[in-house]
Amino acid sequence: EEAKKEIGRFYPNDPGGSVPVGYIWARTIPCQNPSCRAEIPLMRQYWLANKSRRKIALYPYIKDGKVEFRVVGTGYEKMPDDFDPHKGTVSRAVAVCPVCGSAVEAKTTRRLFQEGKSGERMVAVILTMPGETGKRYRVATEEDMEAFNKAAEYMEEKRKKLHDLWGIDPVPDEPTPEGSGSGAERAFSVYRYGMTTWGSLFNVRQKLSLITFTEKVREAYRKMIAEGVEREYAKAIATYLSILLNRLVDKNATLVVYNNRAEKVEHVFGRQALGMVWDFVEVNPFTDVGWPNMTDWVKRVIEQNNFRCIDSTPQTLSATSIPYNDNYFDAVITDPPYYDNVPYSYLSDFFYVWLKRSVGDLYPELFSTSLTPKKNEIVAYSTSEGVEAGKRQFEEMLSQAFREIQRVLKPNGLAVIVYAHKTTEGWETLINSLLDSGLVMTAAWPVNTEMQARLRSQESAALASSIYIVARKVERSGIAFYNEVREELKKHLDRKLDRLWAEGIGGGDFFIAAIGSAIEIFGKYEKVMDLQGNIIRADRLLEDVRTIATDYAIRQILHNGFASEISDKTRLYVLWRWNYGDVKVPFDEARKLAQSCGLDLSLEWNGKGFIRKEKEFVRLLGPQDRKLKELEDTHELIDVLHKTLLLWESSKRDELLQLLSDSGFGKNDAFYRVAQAISETLPNENKEKKLLDGFLAGRERIREDSIKKHEKDSEQQGRLF
C-alpha cells in the first residue's frame, strides 16, 4: 500500500474503469536500408490470444513510413484473411523490415544493440475490468507513454536519493555473465545484446517499481524495530518480504514473455538461462499479476512448511568438508550439480543483487561479496586455464564430496544420489567420482521428475527422468576381470532393460537408465581390470553399456524384426530420432551414439548425406530438409526413404514406384518397418512424421504397385536380353 501511494499514479486506470495489468513492448532497431531507416518493432509473432475459441492478434500496417498496429480477431474487427499472426519480424536475431522488406542479419542486430542503437516501443495494453472475467486488449496510446515517461523522470530522482542514502546504486549495476565458454556458460545471450549489468534487464518503470518495493521492505524492518517488535521476528518478516520482492523481480523484467495460449504473464526463468526476448510484457505490480500474486505464493509455502515440518535445523555447509564425526549419519541424500548443465551461481546472481539491496544489511555475512562466490562451486565451468581444467576441478571436488559422504556415514549407511545429465561425459565424471569414494552402488532407478510442459522440454532433448543411485557404506567384493564383469553386465542389463522398456522409459531416459543399471554391477568391485592389468574406468564401461542398450533398443523399436537387416547408417537414424527427435546434439554425444552403431561420425558428414555438423553440434536432416537432386544414385535405405517421401509429397507417383522398383525396397518389409518405427518416435506436429504417416497410409497399394512395376521391368529386360 505504501508503494502504491507513491508510484501507483504511473499505472493509471482507463477512463472506463478498466485496469491495465500488463504492457506489451517490442524492442526496436533502425532498418539498415538507407532509403528506408524505419523503426523495426522486433516481434516473434503477433498473437495476443491463441485459443480454440478465442483468436486475437496485433495486426501491423504501414502508415506514413511507420509500422502501426490495430487489434483484430474475436470480439474486435475481423482478422484479415491473408494475415498470419505466427510470422513476426524477427527470428534468431535476423530481422525483416515490415516497411521495405529489407533483412537485417543477426550479427548486425547484435551490433546495433551493443552500440546503443536499439530502442523499445510499447505496442499494446492488457486490461481487466473489475467484476468481470477474461482480458481485453488495446493498442498503446500517447497517454500510456506519457505515464511511462513521467515514471522515468521520477525514477532518476528516486535513484539518486536512494543512492545517497544507501551508499549503493539501488538499481543493480553489477555485471551480467559474458555468456562465453561451453555448456551451461553459454546460457547468457543477453550480454551480446548490450545488457551488461543486472539492472539493464529491466525497463525504466520496472526499475522504479522494484527499487520502491526494495525501499519499503527496508522501511518495514526499521518500523517494526521502532515499534518494539522482537529483532529476530522482524528480521524474519523482512526476509519473507524480500522473497516476495524477488518473485516480483522474476515476473517483471524485460525477459518475460506473454503466453498467448493461456493469456498469462510468464516469468524470467521458464528455463535455466537468460536468453534474449524480443517482445516482452511489463506487469502492473499493484494488480493480481504483481505483488498480491507473489504474496499468495510465499504464504502458501510458509503454511505448507509449518504444517509438515516437525523439526528441522538447516545449515549452510560445504559438501567437500562436512563438520561431523566419522560414522555419524544413518543416511545422506544429495542432488549434486549435473556437471555443466546449470550455471547455478550465475543464475543466483539475478536474485542476489536484489536481496543484497533489500536485506543485505541484515545478513552481512551472506552479502559481503559483489556477486555470489563461485570459486568453490562444484560445476564444470571453464576456468582461466581452460575448459579441461574446469572439468578436472569438477571431478576432483565431486570425488572429495563423495568421500566426505562415505566418511560420515555409519557402517552399512545409505547414500542416495540424484543425477540427470544427458551426456555420457557427465556420467563418466559421476561414476569415476563414486568409484573413488569407496561407496558401493547397489541400485539405480529412473524417476520422472520434470513437468512435461516446461519450456525447456519443448526446445531440447532434455531428460524427463532423474536417476536415483543408491549406495551403501559396505565392503567391496575385491578385484574382478572385465571380461567376466562384461558377461555379468550383459545378463543383468538384459533383465533390467526389459523392465525399463515395459515401464515406458524411452529416448534419452532409456540410455541414462541403462547407465544407472550398469553401475549396480560395476560398482560392487573394488577394482575392475582387463587381462593386461589396466584398470577399467567409466569411459570403457559406458562404451559397452551404450552398445548393449543400442542393440536392445533397435530390436524393440523395430518390434524385434529386421534389426539385423538394416545398415549402420539406418540404425543410427532410427536411434537418433527415437533418442533426440529432430534437435541438434553436442558433437561428442553424437559421436558416441554413432560409435555404438559402428560408425565413425567424422567420416560421415558431407554435402549429400543426412548428417550435418553445425559448429560444435550435429543434426540429422529430415526429408523436408533435403532436395531431390541431392538424393540421386543412392542405395542407402534412409536416403531412399527420404526421396520416396519427397516424391510422395510432390504427387510424383510414377517416379516413386520406379525408385522403389529399382532400389528393391518396394517389396522389402524392413523398409516399411523402419518408416513406421521413425514415425512412432516423432511428435504429431513434426513435419517428417506427417510425411511418413501420409506415405504409410497407402503403403499396401504402393507396395503392390511397386512389385508389379519391378516384375514388369524385369520382364522387359529379359526380352531385351
Side-chain angles (χ1 to χ4, degrees):
E1 290 303 318
E2 288 297 316
K4 189 173 183 179
K5 288 177 190 175
E6 183 177 348
I7 62 171
R9 66 185 186 277
F10 301 124
Y11 303 89
N13 291 349
D14 276 17
S18 295
V19 179
V21 295
Y23 306 85
I24 295 176
W25 292 77
R27 301 185 199 275
T28 64
I29 57 172
C31 176
Q32 297 301 285
N33 179 352
S35 62
C36 179
R37 308 302 290 177
E39 178 190 69
I40 304 174
L42 301 176
M43 302 188 72
R44 299 162 295 132
Q45 45 82 48
Y46 296 110
W47 284 113
L48 295 170
N50 186 14
K51 299 178 177 179
S52 58
R53 298 183 179 180
R54 185 169 157 86
K55 304 282 187 181
I56 305 171
L58 279 171
Y59 177 69
Y61 64 97
I62 311 304
K63 181 179 179 181
D64 299 329
K66 182 181 178 182
V67 182
E68 301 288 358
F69 296 96
R70 60 177 183 263
V71 180
V72 298
T74 310
Y76 301 87
E77 67 175 274
K78 184 179 180 298
M79 193 177 296
D81 294 333
D82 60 348
F83 173 48
D84 183 358
H86 288 99
K87 296 179 180 179
T89 60
V90 63
S91 177
R92 298 182 180 274
V94 177
V96 176
C97 177
V99 178
C100 70
S102 298
V104 182
E105 58 184 12
K107 64 180 182 181
T108 303
T109 300
R110 285 190 282 269
R111 177 178 58 78
L112 291 170
F113 273 84
Q114 292 164 5
E115 293 176 352
K117 295 177 181 176
S118 62
E120 57 185 15
R121 175 182 172 185
M122 189 191 302
V123 294
V125 181
I126 309 163
L127 303 157
T128 59
M129 175 64 80
E132 297 181 5
T133 59
K135 294 184 172 69
R136 297 283 296 171
Y137 303 92
R138 63 170 173 78
V139 173
T141 65
E142 290 183 7
E143 288 77 14
D144 295 314
M145 278 308 301
E146 184 180 346
F148 180 84
N149 291 332
K150 287 180 179 178
E153 292 174 10
Y154 185 65
M155 203 283 290
E156 288 306 316
E157 175 187 330
K158 188 171 186 67
R159 182 177 188 174
K160 184 178 185 307
K161 171 192 164 188
L162 293 180
H163 189 288
D164 294 341
L165 187 64
W166 298 349
I168 183 175
D169 191 338
V171 176
D173 56 355
E174 295 87 347
T176 54
E178 293 186 18
S180 56
S182 61
E185 294 171 273
R186 304 180 68 230
F188 301 97
S189 62
V190 293
Y191 192 91
R192 292 185 294 164
Y193 293 92
M195 300 181 199
T196 57
T197 67
W198 289 105
S200 63
L201 304 182
F202 308 88
N203 75 17
V204 176
R205 188 162 54 184
Q206 288 172 330
K207 293 174 187 176
L208 173 62
S209 70
L210 294 174
I211 67 174
T212 301
F213 277 107
T214 301
E215 178 191 31
K216 303 310 177 188
V217 171
R218 294 167 67 114
E219 288 180 354
Y221 175 77
R222 286 198 299 273
K223 188 171 183 179
M224 283 186 283
I225 296 300
E227 293 181 357
V229 174
E230 196 272 322
R231 189 170 295 274
E232 285 301 308
Y233 185 82
K235 183 178 178 180
I237 295 298
T239 303
Y240 284 133
L241 292 173
S242 71
I243 294 171
L244 291 176
L245 170 65
N246 264 21
R247 287 191 64 87
L248 184 61
V249 170
D250 185 33
K251 199 83 170 179
N252 201 24
T254 62
L255 303 181
V256 176
V257 299
Y258 188 62
N259 182 338
N260 55 62
R261 293 192 178 276
E263 290 189 86
K264 71 171 188 175
V265 179
E266 292 295 347
H267 60 114
V268 171
F269 289 105
R271 58 192 183 101
Q272 294 151 331
L274 289 175
M276 183 59 169
V277 172
W278 304 108
D279 49 284
F280 62 90
V281 59
E282 173 200 2
V283 303
N284 180 342
F286 304 110
T287 62
D288 287 343
V289 296
W291 186 272
N293 181 268
M294 309 303 112
T295 307
D296 180 58
W297 274 98
V298 173
K299 282 172 63 179
R300 285 162 61 185
V301 172
I302 296 168
E303 288 162 0
Q304 284 287 91
N305 283 339
N306 284 345
F307 176 73
R308 292 178 176 175
C309 186
I310 298 170
D311 181 30
S312 71
T313 308
Q315 297 182 60
T316 303
L317 306 170
S318 172
T320 57
S321 182
I322 303 173
Y324 285 91
N325 295 331
D326 296 358
N327 308 317
Y328 186 87
F329 291 105
D330 296 290
V332 175
I333 297 92
T334 182
D335 188 353
Y338 303 156
Y339 198 55
D340 64 348
N341 255 21
V342 181
Y344 297 99
S345 57
Y346 291 106
L347 295 174
S348 298
D349 286 338
F350 178 87
F351 299 103
Y352 178 92
V353 294
W354 289 103
L355 285 171
K356 181 167 64 174
R357 285 159 174 78
S358 58
V359 292
D361 56 336
L362 303 183
Y363 299 93
E365 72 283 3
L366 296 180
F367 295 95
S368 59
T369 55
S370 174
L371 295 167
T372 57
K374 298 173 178 63
K375 182 179 179 182
N376 295 320
E377 185 183 12
I378 308 180
V379 178
Y381 298 147
S382 59
T383 69
S384 57
E385 299 175 17
V387 175
E388 291 304 317
K391 293 177 180 178
R392 283 197 305 273
Q393 178 175 308
F394 173 79
E395 184 166 350
E396 290 166 2
M397 294 178 74
L398 192 62
S399 296
Q400 176 60 27
F402 288 152
R403 284 195 294 270
E404 279 290 274
I405 290 173
Q406 196 270 353
R407 179 184 65 78
V408 300
L409 274 176
K410 294 176 181 177
N412 203 41
L414 192 71
V416 179
I417 297 128
V418 185
Y419 206 68
H421 201 271
K422 65 183 178 182
T423 71
T424 49
E425 188 175 37
W427 277 95
E428 287 174 13
T429 302
L430 176 85
I431 294 170
N432 285 335
S433 298
L434 276 169
L435 292 173
D436 294 340
S437 72
L439 290 167
V440 176
M441 293 157 274
T442 57
W445 290 101
V447 177
N448 192 299
T449 58
E450 302 296 339
M451 294 186 294
Q452 294 301 311
R454 77 200 195 283
L455 287 175
R456 193 163 189 270
S457 70
Q458 298 169 9
E459 298 176 4
S460 69
L463 299 174
S465 302
S466 297
I467 304 298
Y468 280 62
I469 302 167
V470 182
R472 288 190 180 273
K473 185 176 179 176
V474 295
E475 294 296 322
R476 283 181 169 170
S477 299
I479 297 175
F481 288 102
Y482 191 58
N483 59 330
E484 299 169 352
V485 172
R486 194 179 186 284
E487 287 304 310
E488 184 182 2
L489 181 66
K490 192 172 187 313
K491 291 176 183 176
H492 175 74
L493 278 181
D494 281 343
R495 293 192 302 271
K496 198 68 177 276
L497 295 180
D498 276 338
R499 182 167 176 180
L500 292 169
W501 193 274
E503 291 178 354
I505 305 297
D509 294 284
F510 183 78
F511 284 107
I512 297 304
I515 292 170
S517 301
I519 293 172
E520 299 174 18
I521 299 300
F522 198 76
K524 69 183 180 181
Y525 297 105
E526 187 176 337
K527 286 182 182 178
V528 177
M529 305 174 68
D530 62 19
L531 296 176
Q532 286 73 44
N534 301 310
I535 295 176
I536 302 298
R537 298 288 281 172
D539 55 344
R540 174 70 181 279
L541 166 72
L542 296 184
E543 184 180 321
D544 286 339
V545 169
R546 186 178 280 279
T547 300
I548 294 169
T550 292
D551 289 341
Y552 181 93
I554 202 70
R555 291 197 307 271
Q556 296 298 327
I557 296 168
L558 295 177
H559 307 296
N560 291 313
F562 313 104
S564 61
E565 296 181 27
I566 63 175
S567 69
D568 292 338
K569 282 188 179 180
T570 299
R571 176 185 294 247
L572 172 64
Y573 192 92
V574 172
L575 279 171
W576 187 291
R577 289 292 183 250
W578 176 72
N579 197 359
Y580 306 121
D582 60 359
V583 302
K584 59 186 179 182
V585 174
F587 170 75
D588 193 54
E589 191 63 17
R591 178 185 64 79
K592 288 170 182 173
L593 181 63
Q595 187 174 307
S596 70
C597 296
L599 292 170
D600 182 345
L601 196 64
S602 63
L603 300 178
E604 298 300 331
W605 59 70
N606 54 59
K608 293 185 177 180
F610 58 80
I611 302 171
R612 288 286 188 275
K613 186 173 184 292
E614 300 175 1
K615 296 183 178 179
E616 68 269 39
F617 295 95
V618 174
R619 183 188 295 278
L620 295 199
L621 302 181
Q624 69 277 9
D625 304 314
R626 310 182 75 183
K627 294 181 173 60
L628 283 170
K629 191 172 182 180
E630 297 173 356
L631 293 165
E632 295 175 356
D633 303 322
T634 179
H635 304 287
E636 176 60 48
L637 188 153
I638 289 299
D639 290 337
V640 173
L641 177 60
H642 282 181
K643 188 173 183 179
T644 298
L645 295 175
L646 291 174
L647 291 170
W648 176 85
E649 184 182 32
S650 304
S651 300
K652 297 179 179 180
R653 185 177 178 82
D654 290 342
E655 291 181 46
L656 187 156
L657 295 176
Q658 189 67 57
L659 172 65
L660 293 179
S661 171
D662 293 345
S663 65
F665 284 124
K667 60 181 180 181
N668 188 320
D669 289 336
F671 180 78
Y672 298 98
R673 183 67 65 87
V674 166
Q676 183 66 46
I678 296 170
S679 170
E680 290 172 3
T681 68
L682 296 170
N684 290 331
E685 66 275 9
N686 182 271
K687 171 70 172 177
E688 182 174 358
K689 178 178 176 62
K690 291 177 180 178
L691 291 174
L692 285 163
D693 289 350
F695 166 69
L696 289 168
R699 81 180 104 183
E700 294 305 324
R701 179 68 181 273
I702 291 173
R703 181 191 179 99
E704 291 174 9
D705 289 351
S706 67
I707 291 173
K708 290 178 182 177
K709 175 71 173 170
H710 183 73
E711 290 173 348
K712 184 178 179 180
D713 290 345
S714 298
E715 184 179 338
Q716 288 179 346
Q717 288 176 359
R719 287 174 181 168
L720 288 171
F721 180 77

